[in-house]
Each structure stands twice: as structure tokens, then as C-alpha cells.
Amino acid sequence: MKEYIAEIISNSLKQFDLQEKPDIRIEAPNQPEHGDASSNIAMMLAKPLRNNPRAIAQQVVDGLEYDEKKISAVEIAGPGFINFRYSDDYLFDELNEVLTGGESFGKTDTNTGKKVLVEFVSANPTGPLTVGHGRNAVLGDTVARLLEWTGADVEREYYFNDAGRQMRVLGESVRARYYELLGKDEKFPEGGYEGEYIKDIAKSLLDEFGDGLLSAADEKPFKEKAEEEIFADISATLKRMNIKMDSFFNEHSLYEDGKIEETIQKLRDLDLAYDEDGAVWFKTTAFGKDKDTVLVKSSGEPTYRLPDIAYHANKLDRGYDLCVDVFGADHIATYPDVLSGIKSLGYDPDKVDVVVYQFVTLVKDGKPFKMSTRKANFVTLDDLMDEVGADVTRFFFLMRSPNTHLEFDIAQAKEAGEKNPVFYLQYAHARISSILRKVNDEYELSGRANLKLLEHPSEIMLIKTMLKFPETVGNAARLREPHHVITFLNELASAFTSFYHDCRILGEDEELAHARTELAKATAQVLRNGLGILGISAPDQM
């Protein structure tokens, strides 16, 4: 409807001698009683037309040509706002669209034809996924779902490195525990991994090989077994969270196929990389930074920037129209250098979109909360899901804007009532399902319902609320901010509660009961669709 209103306003503006037409913005009025949509176009034209905004608004309104089956009234308010009221016929037609659209209602074609890669989680296989990885995992998966709902062909990718010091220390840690199980002395590596999961991996090696690995020349068999078991653990955790990766990309492959050296050489050829003090430097001062940045340390170890530049070049070489990266706030200082690097190499940096999220604190009763865990001094995602459930875990990671710090309140998450926001939404769906079961017991409804019987203000408000869903999905996808879907679902559940309080279904005559039943069905469908985008179940009973 907003597109339709913008079009009819644009047509009305043809009466003016404008050098350039301003953008026509359509917003919902701050107060519902002022209408369903509003435009400030008259105020925007006051200066170029050198006229009073209300006078301009009247001219615009006088020039409007619109379908009265869509718009019932157009009014001028305040300093010159043009307010529109939707007709009931339009609302009933749109309600039918919800019912016929079913599981597809809310989907758009904004990104149809676009091939998108969303890279997230990307934790090296050195241990189980922790709460620190949880927000990344859920945010990345939900952004992918939103992009799919807007028509994109989306792939989810997990980027990791099974080489380097971290993995070497992991293998040495497992070897030390393996020796310990056999009663042998083996020095535990400095900075080694001390979690119980290391002992579990060592025990599985002992069960498989006995003491046969005492003669191993290095930590390689221990590292390989650790990677295998940790990745199996990570995959199981992601599956539990309703997340499935399409591909896994190993950073080490960039070294094996020569892409790292090729990237350095290309930057040298562009006079953007040079040697100094035994290190290789990236001339980031050429992009406005105060200092140049190390690409390869004097020890020969690359910093994160170098493989990340090569990896992003690889992504774009694979033909993706958009590459979305989900990073924690600790990447704020590094990713601009990666974008500068790929731009220098001739790639379009606008094809890379970085979603940065702030970190998570577990709290209970307003205080930092540490759950007991058998896997070292961190809380795993599995621990958290054991405590509050997978649906609640996903929901709480999504209910705030990514760029705000998230306090995950354990007590609130375990609450089985309206204080728990995911319970509130799931209960709304379960309650509608219960009502529909009772309707089936009381009535034998058939044929099309007469939706024009839906005249109560609470019925009309419920219809108007659910019709905001496609726009909400589009905005959430564009902004990469899933919490907008949660805000909408709360509004929808609240509107249904008002409808349920004001308008009976059971006990009414069959025609009215039929119309209200269809309204309840539509509400349930939109709740299911929204919760599905969030990766959360919509139970029929609780």
C-alpha cells in the first residue's frame, strides 16, 4: 500500500513545476487515530515552491486520483501532513491474501536473483561452542533466513583454520592427557587447553589405539582426532540450535593453493605492501589511517588481515553478489583494512556487508551468572540450552539490536509466563490453536467466510497489524536486524489479546464465528511465519 500511495502522490506532483522531485516517504502516523499512512511531502516542497505547507498539501490532495476501494479518506493535519485511511474492503482483501498466502505470506522478491554468502560462527576447532559464539551463530543464521525470505539464494559458510599455533597447542594438550592416562609423564604445553573435553578426546584415542600412539613423532594424530571430535560436537550443537551449514572453508587451503603469497605479491605490485623490520606491512596510510598495518609478523606468522583479504577475494571470485560477515565487536578495528585490501585488488567492497554485534553477559537477579560446567572455565552453548532450552536461547540472542550489549537474563529465560517474551509469543500461538480446536468441535464451518462482518475496532486493528509483516521482514533483512521481527510479533500478539478480549468466537452465530475464525487462523499463520524466521517453534499447545 505504501508503494501505491507514493505512486499517486508522485502523479499529483506533476502539476508543479519542479526541477527535481523529492523522495516521497510514507510512514505510519505516531497516533493511530490520525490514519494508517502519512506523508510529509508538503513540508518538503515548501522551500522549492515558496508556499505554505498546508496550502501545498491541499493542492496535492486535490490532485490525487486513487481507488476508493483501497483508500477511504485523505486528510490534512498539523503543519501539512497528508494522512490516508485504508478502506475496509482493502483490509478484507489483504486478509484474504494472508489466508491464501499461508507459509509464503511475508515473502518478497527484493533480492530475487541475488546469490548471497553469509559467513558466521567461524570458530576454530579448539573446543566446544561457548555462549560467546552463540550470538554470532543465531544472528548469522537468522540474517540468512531473512535474506531467503526476500528472495535471495543464500549459502551459509563456516570459515576455520586447522593450522597454526592454536591447533598445535590443541594437539599437544591431547597428547599430554593421553600420556597421563597411560601413566606416562608428558609436560603439559604452556597455554594448553585444560577442559574436560580434552581428556575425553584422549580417552577415545586410548580406546582406539591403546598405547600405540606413544611412538607418534609429533602431535599430528592427536590434533587430527581433536579436530574430528570437536567439529562433531560443534555440528551437533548447531543442529540443536536449528542451524545447518552449507559449506566449511579451511583457511589453510589459502596457503596450499598459493592465494596468500599471490595476495601479498599483488599488494606489492600496487605499492601497498612492503618489508620493514623483518615484517611485511600493508600501507593502510594510503586509506586514511594514521599508521601502516602488519600483514606478516617478523616471526613469519600472518596477522588475521592477510588471510581474510585472500578469503574475501575467494568469496567474490566464486560469483556471490553479496557476502555478509557476522563479526564480534573485537573485529571493529580489523575489517576496514580487509575492505581496503579487496578494493585495492579490484573487487567491489560494496559487495561485502559486515554485521558487527556486541558481546553477551549472562546475568541472574541482576548479577553476572556463571553456570557450572564440566568443560573448563567457560559456559558452552549446550550448557545454556540445557538450562533454558534451544528456542529460548535463540530468542534471547535475537531480541536486542546487534549493536547493543546483550544481557542474557537466566531467570527471565526460565520463567514460564508472560515475563518470558518467547513464552508470551509461543503461548499466543498455542492459545489460537486451542480456540480453533474448540471451534471445530462446536461448528461445521464451510465455504468462504463473510469477512465484512469484522467491524469491531479490535478486529480492524488486528488486521492492520498483521499486514505490517512483509514490510517488517523487508526492513529487518535490509538492516540485518532480526529484532524488528520480534518487535512486530509482540505487537501482533498484543493485538490478538485485545481482539480475544473484545470479540467472542465461540457462542456467536455461525457467520460471525466463521469470520472471526478466519481472522484467528490468519493471526496464527503470521505468528508461525515470524517465529519460523527466528528459527523458533510455534507449538499448538503448551
Side-chain angles (χ1 to χ4, degrees):
M1 178 61 95
K2 287 187 176 181
E3 290 81 3
Y4 175 75
I5 292 174
E7 182 183 354
I8 62 174
I9 290 176
S10 179
N11 289 335
S12 179
L13 294 184
K14 292 176 181 177
Q15 66 183 288
F16 301 107
D17 183 20
L18 294 171
Q19 296 297 317
E20 185 178 342
K21 282 187 180 179
D23 289 335
I24 301 171
R25 285 175 282 187
I26 311 298
E27 306 288 345
N30 292 329
Q31 298 177 331
E33 59 269 23
H34 289 170
D36 302 305
S38 181
S39 174
N40 67 345
I41 188 66
M43 280 88 88
M44 296 178 70
L45 292 174
K47 187 174 181 179
L49 293 179
R50 298 179 181 180
N51 200 354
N52 179 281
R54 282 191 67 95
I56 296 171
Q58 189 61 60
Q59 286 179 273
V60 173
V61 171
D62 290 343
L64 290 175
E65 294 182 6
Y66 57 87
D67 186 345
E68 293 184 359
K69 290 184 177 180
K70 291 184 176 182
I71 296 172
S72 63
V74 183
E75 302 157 356
I76 299 170
F81 288 103
I82 303 174
N83 294 337
F84 298 81
R85 297 185 187 275
Y86 301 159
S87 72
D88 288 348
D89 283 343
Y90 163 77
L91 296 176
F92 300 144
D93 287 345
E94 291 298 299
L95 178 57
N96 262 322
E97 289 294 317
V98 179
L99 292 164
T100 57
E103 293 180 357
S104 295
F105 177 72
K107 292 185 176 181
T108 67
D109 59 2
T110 308
N111 289 307
T112 296
K114 284 187 178 179
K115 186 180 177 185
V116 180
L117 183 72
V118 182
E119 181 234 320
F120 59 106
V121 185
S122 298
N124 289 342
T126 55
L129 294 180
T130 69
V131 169
H133 301 119
R135 194 175 194 186
N136 185 310
V138 175
L139 178 60
D141 181 62
T142 310
V143 166
R145 289 167 183 262
L146 284 164
L147 290 167
E148 287 170 335
W149 269 69
T150 57
D153 176 13
V154 179
E155 293 182 37
R156 296 160 172 80
E157 185 158 280
Y158 188 127
Y159 173 76
F160 70 99
N161 183 14
D162 66 353
R165 181 184 176 279
Q166 283 185 336
M167 295 300 293
R168 185 178 69 252
V169 171
L170 175 69
E172 291 171 351
S173 301
V174 174
R175 180 169 63 180
R177 296 306 186 202
Y178 172 81
Y179 272 60
E180 185 180 280
L181 290 172
L182 288 168
K184 306 289 184 180
D185 289 332
E186 176 72 8
K187 183 179 179 183
F188 198 77
E190 183 178 350
Y193 295 89
E194 300 184 12
E196 191 71 21
Y197 69 100
I198 298 295
K199 295 179 181 178
D200 293 341
I201 296 167
K203 178 66 166 58
S204 68
L205 283 168
L206 181 63
D207 292 342
E208 185 175 352
F209 297 102
D211 63 359
L213 293 178
L214 288 174
S215 58
D218 55 28
E219 79 285 347
K220 183 178 178 181
F222 302 95
K223 178 179 79 71
E224 289 177 348
K225 184 65 173 179
E227 180 183 346
E228 175 190 334
E229 294 209 1
I230 289 170
F231 253 133
D233 184 69
I234 288 172
S235 296
T237 301
L238 292 175
K239 182 178 180 180
R240 191 177 173 189
M241 297 187 75
N242 201 11
I243 298 172
K244 183 180 183 301
M245 291 292 175
D246 297 303
S247 58
F248 290 80
F249 189 98
N250 191 341
E251 177 186 316
H252 193 57
S253 67
L254 296 169
Y255 295 87
E256 292 175 336
D257 64 14
K259 292 300 181 184
I260 295 296
E261 286 302 322
E262 182 182 317
T263 299
I264 294 175
Q265 187 57 51
K266 285 182 177 179
L267 292 174
R268 288 186 192 279
D269 293 343
L270 293 165
D271 195 29
L272 291 172
Y274 62 91
D275 299 314
E276 187 174 290
D277 298 329
V280 180
W281 293 76
F282 184 27
K283 196 180 292 184
T284 45
T285 49
F287 309 106
K289 293 190 72 172
D290 294 335
K291 296 180 180 179
D292 291 337
T293 306
V294 174
L295 285 178
V296 183
K297 300 175 185 177
S298 56
S299 64
E301 181 184 357
T303 63
Y304 287 118
R305 291 168 176 82
L306 177 56
D308 277 3
I309 292 170
Y311 173 47
H312 281 79
N314 174 283
K315 289 181 184 181
L316 294 169
D317 283 340
R318 284 185 267 162
Y320 293 105
D321 300 298
L322 176 66
C323 298
V324 179
D325 299 332
V326 181
F327 291 151
D330 54 338
H331 284 71
I332 287 176
T334 60
Y335 82 79
D337 294 341
V338 175
L339 296 181
S340 296
I342 62 170
K343 183 178 181 180
S344 301
L345 296 175
Y347 297 95
D348 182 358
D350 290 338
K351 288 188 174 183
V352 178
D353 185 27
V354 179
V355 179
V356 175
Y357 65 91
Q358 298 296 319
F359 296 112
V360 180
T361 302
L362 292 177
V363 297
K364 190 173 185 179
D365 300 324
K367 299 176 182 178
F369 177 60
K370 289 187 177 182
M371 294 183 293
S372 61
T373 174
R374 69 182 191 87
K375 295 189 175 181
N377 60 343
F378 50 77
V379 180
T380 71
L381 271 178
D382 283 311
D383 293 326
L384 185 59
M385 286 187 281
D386 289 342
E387 189 84 4
V388 302
D391 277 349
V392 173
T393 298
R394 280 194 70 117
F395 186 93
F396 271 62
F397 279 136
L398 294 171
M399 67 181 186
R400 298 283 181 266
S401 169
N403 57 22
T404 61
H405 179 78
L406 176 65
E407 288 195 346
F408 195 120
D409 192 323
I410 298 294
Q412 185 186 22
K414 295 178 72 172
E415 181 82 28
E418 290 194 0
K419 290 183 179 179
N420 182 330
V422 67
F423 181 92
Y424 174 68
L425 295 178
Q426 289 180 318
Y427 181 72
H429 185 270
R431 181 165 62 176
I432 296 172
S433 299
S434 174
I435 292 167
L436 295 178
R437 288 192 292 270
K438 291 176 182 177
V439 167
N440 288 334
D441 291 338
E442 184 167 331
Y443 301 97
E444 293 185 8
L445 303 177
S446 61
R448 293 189 64 175
N450 181 7
L451 299 180
K452 292 185 178 181
L453 296 174
L454 300 174
E455 299 175 333
H456 192 281
S458 293
E459 295 169 329
I460 298 299
M461 181 55 66
L462 180 54
I463 297 171
K464 289 180 179 180
T465 301
M466 73 176 71
L467 296 185
K468 297 176 184 178
F469 183 57
E471 183 182 5
T472 299
V473 173
N475 287 338
R478 178 175 53 83
L479 298 170
R480 324 287 191 239
E481 294 182 343
H483 70 283
H484 293 295
V485 176
I486 292 177
T487 301
F488 164 80
L489 291 175
N490 284 326
E491 186 181 349
L492 180 63
S494 177
F496 179 80
T497 298
S498 297
F499 157 74
Y500 184 67
H501 179 268
D502 297 338
C503 305
R504 294 187 309 169
I505 298 179
L506 300 171
E508 291 289 355
D509 70 79
E510 189 167 297
E511 267 201 298
L512 182 57
H514 195 179
R516 288 178 174 173
T517 297
E518 293 302 289
L519 180 55
K521 284 181 181 177
T523 306
Q525 184 66 66
V526 178
L527 281 169
R528 276 196 301 279
N529 291 359
L531 289 170
I533 289 173
L534 303 176
I536 294 168
S537 65
D540 290 335
Q541 53 189 8
M542 293 178 72

